[in-house]
Amino acid sequence: MSVADRYTSQLALVLDAPLDDVAEVVRAAGRVGDIDRAAPAGGDGAAAQEVQWGGRVQKGVVRALRDDLDDRPLLRTETYLGEDGLAAGMQRQAKLLQALARQLPGRVEGVRDLSARTERDTAWINRVAIGAVQHDDGIVTVVDGEGTRWVRTHGAARFDVPDLELYGCTRAQAELAGPLLQHVHEQLLAGGLKASLSLPDGTPVYLVPVRDAWQHVPLDWPGVGRAGKDRGPGLDGPRATLSVLHPPRFGRYRKDLQGVLDRLVAVG
């Protein structure tokens, strides 16, 4: 897999109208020192430019396009943040957005985080670009469902860790799930996939790929899919749920997804 294939963080400026020439905007940013180097990406320099910025050798792509869902005109930045971590990575990409926005006065209507599937206002760019980065600037928690809730995150995959999901939550559990998932993600971001994981109360847990977890929960719960079926936008990357880690029996670890939900009430 090439580095370009790993440009897994996508943040876009939402524009008032389609942009005719990406190269012109990138050159303007280069003249004021905000972008170090640029070259056409994919042969059409007007549509996309590969860039370097911030004195770093790592590259990214700036691309003009329309969003597939609502046809809004976007100026999308694509880069790889896995080596940077959440705070430094989001700051670095925000600086690229900031550099481009400076060359488009009056034309930027907002920011669309396509990796975390959320919208931001333009003030978000400047806050993150100066390093005032919060966990939910990079990884967002979403709750869906009535009665039985499905809690999930978006945005973690760009940092080379899986997004997390919890199934079968009550309303009270769903309200407490965000801090719990953040706690586990912070351990993953610090130690990678081999990190020892625990809940906020110290209970040890381990990752269960979502497709393995679906065999252990009711199929009619929100968020539960089926192997081979498209789950929808933003749900096709590496994703996992959590199981309490019990001592193995006959060399196997049993999956205790409910134990995690039970401790959601306990930690609240």
Side-chain angles (χ1 to χ4, degrees), residues 12-35:
L13 300 175
V14 181
L15 304 180
D16 60 345
L19 186 65
D20 294 328
D21 191 347
V22 174
E24 181 180 343
V25 175
V26 168
R27 282 195 298 267
R31 285 193 292 269
V32 297
D34 286 340
I35 288 179

Side-chain angles (χ1 to χ4, degrees), residues 161 184-193 195:
V161 300
V184 174
H185 264 141
E186 287 171 349
Q187 295 169 79
L188 287 167
L189 291 168
L193 294 177

Side-chain angles (χ1 to χ4, degrees), residues 13-19 66 72-74 104-110:
L13 300 175
V14 181
L15 304 180
D16 60 345
L19 186 65
R66 286 185 176 273
R72 294 291 299 278
L74 305 178
L104 296 166
R107 295 201 54 189
V108 179
E109 298 183 345

Side-chain angles (χ1 to χ4, degrees), residues 204-251:
V205 293
Y206 68 99
L207 299 176
V208 179
V210 293
R211 289 180 178 174
D212 293 345
W214 296 340
Q215 305 171 39
H216 302 275
V217 296
L219 292 177
D220 59 351
W221 275 1
V224 177
R226 291 172 175 80
K229 298 287 186 179
D230 184 2
R231 302 179 70 203
L235 296 170
D236 56 349
R239 307 187 70 83
T241 190
L242 300 171
S243 170
V244 172
L245 179 61
H246 297 286
R249 293 191 62 189
F250 307 109

Side-chain angles (χ1 to χ4, degrees), residues 46 56 58 62 100 143 160 185 220 251 259:
R56 299 278 296 275
Q58 290 88 345
V62 179
L100 299 168
V143 179
D160 290 344
H185 264 141
D220 59 351

Side-chain angles (χ1 to χ4, degrees), residues 4 7 24 38 64 70 77 106 138 144 165 176 201 210 215 232 235 247 257:
Y7 288 166
E24 181 180 343
D70 61 8
T77 65
D144 273 333
E165 305 191 9
L176 298 168
D201 68 352
V210 293
Q215 305 171 39
L235 296 170
L257 312 185

